[in-house]
Amino acid sequence: MGTASRRWHVEVTGHVQGVGFRPFAKRLANQWQLAGWARNAGGFVELEVQGDLQACNGFVKELVVSLPRPAQIRCLDVKEIKIVLKDSAFSVLASRVDGDLQRFVPKDIGICEDCRQELLDITDRRFGYPFINCCHCGPRYTIINKLPYDRERTSMRKFPLCLDCSFEYATELDRRFHAEPNACAECGPQYIFNDNNSVVSGRSAVDSAILTLAEGKILAIKGIGGFHLAALANCSEAIARIRQIKSRPDKPLAVMVSDMSDALKLGKIDTGEAELLDGPDCPIVLLDKASFDLAPNIAPGLTNIGVMKAYAPIHFLLLKEFDVPLVMTSANKGGSPIIINNNDALVKLKNEVDAFFSHNRSISNGCDDSVVRKVAGRTMALRLGRGRAPHALELKGEYSPILACGADLKNTFALAANGWAHISQHLGDLSDLDCFDRYQQTIKTLCGLLDIEPQKVACDLHPDYVSVSYAESLGVPVERVQHHHAHIASSLAEKGIHEPVIGVAFDGSGWGYDDRIWGGEWLICDLQHMERVAHLKEVSMPGSEAAIRFPWRMALSYLVDLQLEHDAIVELLGFISEDEINAVRKQISSGINMPLTSSCGRLFEAVSSLVLGCRSQSFEGQAASYLESAVSSEEEGLYQFALAGRKGMIEVDYTQALTALIADKQVGTPPAVIAARFHNGLADVLATVSERLRAERGINKVVLGGGVFANAFLYTKAIDLLEGRGFQVVTAEEVPINDGGISFGQAAVVAAGGGAGANQI
Ligand code: ZN
Ligand code: ZN
Ligand code: FE
């Protein structure tokens, strides 16, 4: 040790627990000949280093630049403290367990390269062991019951370490030093295969699972965050059955590949996409389907497909036996939460799957796979799940602890306290009772894990939202946040923007201040305030929810609004019987159950229905995604939207655009061209209205938010046009652009002192 002239206390926050951070710090401290210690505290790592100034500096610098693979530093706080005499070595201390520490929940990490090699190495003691993991990989959040993250507070608690494993666990320089889920075939969890004829475990279970898949059958596999249904991706029959089991006739299914080289065999993947696909969180990445040679019923009618890399060791063991990917989709029925426990799986899937392949380690926190996409060079988060949740983001300011309840569809909730917000995993549609149960449980669990007791509850304005009545039932002061304000606020808070921006929220639906359904909105807003300054012209939704399920009803509503002759309407909706049309027309003239909406999502659905004959949709956004898939990107023409309205409120009128669209359809213009002209027109009016607002308000920053922007063509076009006209365009990249981001937006608004009571100008 050199002469100790300095002692520093270093607090490192971010993704630093369960990633081998402390052994890494120890190696580094040894290199720099520093004394001191490192330990986990709450969800961060605390260090003290002692040595000369140059060594202390060098240590901190290298700590940041040569961080181990899955670790991520969000914040590094260095304080000079008093020198400790006679301190001459660096040690790793037991975790600090006490009350008011800032906590972070470690996230699950896909298997690392070292573990993968051991898994396939016949001479290794973990050869073929499906629960292999180390400090740099393995389950985290999905097995945690309490923080700090130590084995006895996870579902590994019931597996006492064998001698070999406990030696690794206790050896500071071992890759498995304090790897909490450390295990081997002798002491750890085991797979169990059950196909009604036989029950086998361990190695034979894996062999039986492989055989089942090879026969073109369907396997229910328990993985990291829950049960999946798996089948070979070239086996259309099995895939058709999976669709039946899930009651999902059309929704795209994800496929899993063994590694990056297999992913590349499937088609063209650009650098940004490869980075996402190969990340330690192993999300589902939406890729261009054109070049993929898989069963056509994996993602019918769409030009993209979800692909993920094997993340659990068991996925490798299965995939290495086949030269096709596996279809891997959560085993629950559409709309229900992911199945996490063995009995539930048995009860719910008994007569549906060919075999169960489960294991005896319990899943503490169920997580769906995360979904992301790379569009226009930006990351677009579509679902927060395993590997990405709970997602912590800085949320500075003075506020008491907040629970933000989120939206009812694609729900997540968020907890904010002490300068940080934590966004939960995707919890689905709260109108499903089981989802609502899981939602309440998860709120309880995360409050416990993070030691947050909410003093304020943030929720939507919608009078019928389940999450709103839940918020009201908690006996804590409730603050309401308008849905589209929350969409824009989530981007503002993620990117740390405090000044007012032009917020464009193109969305399915969200309750407005005028008790109408909004969804095609231009706002001037910051975190505290929002002003609605422009919106799409309203139209009625015949039958309310029914108009969402059956997009042709929306199409009819627009056609009636355009005052088209009855015969022309019947011809345009040739795929619907005249009786049905008459029945809905009757409803339209009665005005009963006909809420007005300015929703951009509904406009998309109506156009999809008109152009592609889309009659009904079985999942949210289906009609719009078919329309996107139909676009011919060569077509540069556009349908003009007119701007009308009174002072201070621009109304974007679709009449001219739809009239041109109908004329195109009547002369037999190809759907690909019509779809492109519609997208182009919408992007153009988005930019034109923004320009007008810039001229009036002097604001040059545009934020895009809302589920409609999951449409990559519109998103790219809008960004291109806006940037071309000199705007700075901001979009959330870590927080979902759809309703999955609402909770974080609500938290950000309430933390900043906004909320519906205070913020409407
Ligand atoms: Zn590993
Ligand atoms: Zn062992
Ligand atoms: Fe929304």
Side-chain angles (χ1 to χ4, degrees):
M1 296 284 144
T3 24
S5 58
R6 294 283 195 282
R7 189 176 183 91
W8 287 0
H9 181 268
V10 186
E11 219 175 84
V12 194
T13 44
H15 196 196
V16 289
Q17 283 194 10
V19 289
F21 191 85
R22 292 167 302 164
F24 159 70
K26 183 180 164 70
R27 276 196 300 278
L28 214 55
N30 290 349
Q31 263 170 41
W32 286 99
Q33 301 196 321
L34 293 165
W37 50 261
R39 69 178 172 193
N40 282 346
F44 59 91
V45 173
E46 218 180 351
L47 307 153
E48 284 189 14
V49 284
Q50 177 166 312
D52 64 34
L53 181 63
Q54 197 199 352
C56 288
N57 260 325
F59 172 84
V60 169
K61 219 184 206 164
E62 239 182 281
L63 199 65
V64 178
V65 294
S66 40
L67 209 58
R69 178 187 83 127
Q72 236 176 37
I73 295 181
R74 286 254 178 206
C75 188
L76 195 97
D77 195 25
V78 182
K79 266 190 223 111
E80 175 118 27
I81 53 169
K82 260 203 195 143
I83 292 210
V84 176
L85 291 175
K86 289 192 191 145
D87 196 5
S88 61
F90 191 94
S91 42
V92 174
L93 306 181
S95 301
R96 188 172 134 202
V97 192
D98 55 83
D100 21 81
L101 286 171
Q102 176 58 48
R103 295 179 169 189
F104 296 89
V105 183
K107 300 169 187 175
D108 302 86
I109 309 161
I111 184 172
C112 73
E113 195 42 45
D114 289 339
C115 285
R116 213 167 80 110
Q117 276 176 18
E118 286 176 3
L119 183 70
L120 304 176
D121 174 2
I122 195 150
T123 64
D124 193 274
R125 73 183 188 92
R126 289 192 181 82
F127 171 66
Y129 178 60
F131 295 89
I132 187 170
N133 66 85
C134 74
C135 277
H136 306 134
C137 73
R140 302 287 187 264
Y141 174 52
T142 52
I143 57 165
I144 291 178
N145 302 317
K146 258 183 156 179
L147 286 180
Y149 171 55
D150 283 310
R151 190 179 181 96
E152 76 243 34
R153 288 178 283 272
T154 70
S155 46
M156 289 304 291
R157 183 200 165 110
K158 72 171 212 195
F159 302 100
L161 290 160
C162 69
L163 271 180
D164 286 341
C165 286
S166 81
F167 179 77
E168 295 164 340
Y169 185 86
T171 305
E172 284 189 7
L173 293 174
D174 195 279
R175 204 172 93 242
R176 298 196 165 87
F177 175 63
H178 273 267
E180 308 304 342
N182 192 24
C184 72
E186 200 181 308
C187 66
Q190 295 292 346
Y191 264 92
I192 305 140
F193 175 90
N194 174 357
D195 70 350
N196 288 329
N197 299 321
S198 61
V199 180
V200 283
S201 65
R203 187 66 236 179
S204 336
V206 178
D207 292 341
S208 305
I210 292 166
L211 213 66
T212 306
L213 289 170
E215 285 168 353
K217 292 180 174 167
I218 299 171
L219 202 58
I221 303 182
K222 186 179 184 183
I224 304 290
F227 275 84
H228 281 97
L229 298 175
L232 295 182
N234 58 357
C235 201
S236 350
E237 234 170 274
I239 295 165
R241 275 180 60 213
I242 286 180
R243 292 196 169 283
Q244 258 169 21
I245 297 172
K246 286 183 63 93
S247 335
R248 286 287 195 209
D250 315 298
K251 202 169 181 175
L253 305 172
V255 299
M256 180 180 270
V257 292
S258 151
D259 52 24
M260 284 307 286
S261 64
D262 277 0
L264 288 164
K265 276 184 215 153
L266 285 179
K268 215 177 99 250
I269 298 170
D270 71 29
T271 333
E273 291 167 338
E275 244 165 58
L276 288 173
L277 200 55
D278 206 22
D281 49 343
C282 303
I284 295 173
V285 184
L286 299 189
L287 300 172
D288 191 353
K289 194 173 89 174
S291 42
F292 290 82
D293 184 24
L294 301 169
N297 55 351
I298 289 179
L302 296 178
T303 49
N304 52 64
I305 184 171
V307 178
M308 68 183 136
K309 214 180 63 164
Y311 53 85
I314 190 63
H315 300 148
F316 274 106
L317 294 176
L318 299 177
L319 276 159
K320 79 177 173 53
E321 302 299 323
F322 304 104
D323 50 13
V324 277
L326 286 173
V327 162
M328 284 287 258
T329 180
S330 58
N332 46 288
K333 285 226 183 295
S336 311
I338 187 159
I339 299 173
I340 54 176
N341 96 35
N342 296 1
N343 272 343
D344 255 17
L346 269 177
V347 171
K348 290 185 173 144
L349 301 167
K350 199 163 188 301
N351 302 315
E352 317 257 21
V353 298
D354 299 308
F356 288 90
F357 188 48
S358 60
H359 59 67
N360 57 347
R361 178 174 70 197
S362 56
I363 296 173
S364 306
N365 302 294
C367 277
D368 287 277
D369 295 313
S370 297
V371 184
V372 292
R373 186 173 194 181
K374 202 84 187 177
V375 192
R378 301 171 185 229
T379 302
M380 185 190 275
L382 295 166
R383 185 162 80 194
L384 286 180
R386 175 204 40 79
R388 291 198 156 217
H391 189 57
L393 280 165
E394 217 169 357
L395 194 59
K396 285 201 178 121
E398 290 295 309
Y399 52 87
S400 40
I402 299 164
L403 162 65
C405 293
D408 269 19
L409 284 177
K410 296 194 164 59
N411 174 273
T412 64
F413 65 86
L415 288 165
N418 310 318
W420 288 86
H422 307 261
I423 315 171
S424 77
Q425 68 270 41
H426 166 86
L427 293 161
D429 176 355
L430 297 187
S431 66
D432 178 271
L433 281 180
D434 292 332
C435 283
F436 184 53
D437 264 2
R438 184 71 61 84
Y439 171 73
Q440 295 178 73
Q441 268 168 38
T442 311
I443 290 176
K444 236 193 204 158
T445 308
L446 260 194
C447 283
L449 285 179
L450 296 164
D451 196 23
I452 291 176
E453 206 177 305
Q455 305 296 314
K456 256 187 193 171
V457 180
C459 68
D460 201 271
L461 281 181
H462 204 298
D464 304 325
Y465 263 10
V466 176
S467 56
V468 170
S469 47
Y470 172 77
E472 284 167 342
S473 74
L474 294 174
V476 174
V478 175
E479 302 247 12
R480 281 162 216 278
V481 179
Q482 200 279 324
H483 189 90
H484 303 104
H485 188 201
H487 268 304
I488 303 303
S490 66
S491 298
L492 294 178
E494 180 191 305
K495 299 294 185 189
I497 297 169
H498 298 284
E499 74 268 22
V501 297
I502 299 168
V504 184
F506 280 2
D507 202 22
S509 46
W511 201 260
Y513 284 119
D514 54 3
D515 291 343
R516 289 182 180 178
I517 301 163
W518 296 1
E521 313 300 314
W522 283 256
L523 316 173
I524 300 292
C525 67
D526 55 20
L527 287 176
Q528 286 102 347
H529 312 99
M530 78 91 110
E531 183 185 354
R532 186 193 201 201
V533 284
H535 61 83
L536 284 178
K537 185 184 170 209
E538 292 176 319
V539 69
S540 53
M541 294 170 66
S544 194
E545 288 295 304
I548 304 177
R549 260 198 330 279
F550 302 102
W552 70 268
R553 284 174 166 256
M554 281 313 300
L556 178 60
S557 180
Y558 283 100
L559 296 178
V560 170
D561 189 80
L562 296 181
Q563 299 181 342
L564 253 66
E565 298 285 331
H566 184 73
D567 289 350
I569 292 179
V570 173
E571 203 191 314
L572 282 164
L573 295 177
F575 55 102
I576 304 292
S577 75
E578 195 170 350
D579 286 351
E580 284 175 284
I581 293 174
N582 286 336
V584 175
R585 285 207 76 156
K586 224 174 178 178
Q587 180 173 22
I588 294 176
S589 26
S590 78
I592 296 167
N593 198 12
M594 291 272 295
L596 284 172
T597 185
S598 56
S599 163
C600 188
R602 297 296 91 81
L603 176 60
F604 257 96
E605 286 156 8
V607 170
S608 178
S609 183
L610 274 173
V611 178
L612 304 174
C614 176
R615 190 189 164 93
S616 65
Q617 38 181 10
S618 68
F619 63 92
E620 202 203 359
Q622 181 182 4
S625 53
Y626 287 179
L627 191 69
E628 179 194 351
S629 288
V631 165
S632 152
S633 47
E634 262 107 73
E635 173 59 32
E636 306 230 318
L638 56 87
Y639 300 132
Q640 285 281 351
F641 286 78
L643 303 186
R646 47 189 197 281
K647 200 175 166 4
M649 181 69 79
I650 302 167
E651 189 183 74
V652 178
D653 191 347
Y654 46 73
T655 311
Q656 196 183 333
L658 289 184
T659 306
L661 184 150
I662 289 161
D664 267 355
K665 186 175 156 75
Q666 283 165 335
V667 298
T669 309
V673 173
I674 300 183
R677 289 178 181 168
F678 171 70
H679 280 80
N680 294 344
L682 203 57
D684 178 73
V685 75
L686 187 165
T688 304
V689 173
S690 303
E691 274 185 309
R692 216 202 249 193
L693 295 170
R694 172 168 67 185
E696 281 171 19
R697 309 288 183 118
I699 299 173
N700 194 47
K701 215 171 253 174
V702 176
V703 173
L704 306 178
V708 168
F709 287 114
N711 179 321
F713 187 79
L714 179 71
Y715 180 85
T716 308
K717 198 94 202 175
I719 293 174
D720 281 355
L721 283 180
L722 286 164
E723 287 183 345
R725 298 183 199 182
F727 283 101
Q728 190 189 341
V729 186
V730 178
T731 53
E733 295 191 276
E734 296 175 42
V735 181
I737 198 161
N738 53 36
D739 279 8
I742 289 290
S743 61
F744 178 62
Q746 292 170 340
V749 169
V750 170
N759 73 350
Q760 197 190 0
I761 298 176

